Amino acid sequence: METESTRRRLTPQQAEKITRMTDAAVEIVLADGFDKLSVRDVAKRAGVAPATAYTYFSSKGHLVAEVFWRRLAVGVPEPDPASPVFERVAQVLRGVSMVVAGEGQLGGAVTVALLSDDPESQHLRLRIGGFIHDRLSAAVADDVDDPQGLVDALQMLYAGGLVTAGMGHLSYEATSERLVAAAALLMGHA
C-alpha cells in the first residue's frame, strides 16, 4: 500500500511525499474545512513544489479520496473466518464506517470527494467499492443462501450510511451501529 498510488507505483521517496501530502490535507481539512483545502496549500504544508503535488493529485477531491482509500486499506482487516457470519459482517461494517470517525470535517470532505466527477476520484471510488465488496464477500462467504444478493444489499446499506454520516445527519459511531442493526434485520439476527 505504501508504494502505490492511484496513478503509478512509487519509489520510497515518492511514497514519503504522498504520505506528507495526505497528512497535510487532513490537517487542513480538520482546521479549515474542505472548502479551504487546495492542492497548492497541501504542497506548501508538505514541503513539496505545487507541480510535484499535481503530478500525484489531480484535485483536492482526489487527494481526500486517497486519504480515505489509504485509511480503509490499512484499517479494515480481513474478517476472521472462524467467527460466525453475522459477526464477520458486523466487523466489516463497523470497520468501514469508522475509518474517519471522530475526525470532524474529514468525513464530510470524504463524502464530497467520493461523489465528485473528477476522473481520479471516480477511479478511487471504484477501487474503494471493490475493496468493500471483497471484504463483505469474505465475511459472507458461502454461509448464506444468496451470498451475492446479501453482499449487494449490505453495500447499499453502507453507501447510504456513509452519505448520511458525511452529510452530518448522524455521527460515524451512530451510523456504524445503525448499519450493524440494519444488517441484523437483513440477516434475520434482529
Side-chain angles (χ1 to χ4, degrees):
M1 178 59 228
E2 298 301 322
T3 58
E4 184 179 332
S5 81
T6 302
R7 294 180 170 184
R8 60 182 168 200
R9 304 268 308 136
L10 302 173
T11 67
Q13 296 82 9
Q14 291 169 325
E16 194 268 327
K17 285 179 189 175
I18 297 283
T19 298
R20 287 196 332 252
M21 287 186 282
T22 55
D23 290 348
V26 170
E27 291 169 10
I28 292 169
V29 168
L30 292 178
D32 303 322
F34 185 71
D35 289 343
K36 302 281 190 218
L37 181 69
S38 74
V39 175
R40 286 189 175 282
D41 288 342
V42 166
K44 182 177 180 179
R45 187 173 286 211
V48 300
T52 299
Y54 279 107
T55 64
Y56 297 107
F57 299 107
S58 60
S59 67
K60 68 183 186 178
H62 177 207
L63 183 53
V64 171
E66 180 76 19
V67 167
F68 186 70
W69 163 245
R70 286 169 171 259
R71 288 182 175 201
L72 196 63
V74 299
V76 182
E78 287 276 346
D80 179 2
S83 297
V85 65
F86 178 71
E87 287 180 28
R88 294 190 308 255
V89 167
Q91 174 194 3
V92 172
L93 289 174
R94 283 186 180 110
V96 297
S97 61
M98 295 295 287
V99 170
V100 294
E103 295 201 65
Q105 299 183 70
L106 185 57
V110 166
T111 301
V112 171
L114 291 177
L115 295 176
S116 81
D117 60 0
D118 172 65
E120 297 294 344
S121 296
Q122 289 176 346
H123 172 79
L124 277 169
R125 183 171 59 234
L126 292 174
R127 194 172 189 185
I128 289 163
F131 176 87
I132 293 167
H133 180 272
D134 291 349
R135 287 294 193 263
L136 288 170
S137 292
V140 169
D142 291 324
D143 296 339
V144 297
D145 290 335
D146 181 8
Q148 188 56 55
L150 179 57
V151 168
D152 289 346
L154 292 169
Q155 280 190 270
M156 293 299 289
L157 279 176
Y158 169 71
L162 178 66
V163 171
T164 298
M167 292 173 58
H169 296 303
L170 287 174
S171 70
Y172 282 89
E173 294 84 359
T175 298
S176 177
E177 291 314 306
R178 286 203 180 172
L179 285 171
V180 171
L185 287 171
L186 264 175
M187 297 175 73
H189 283 51

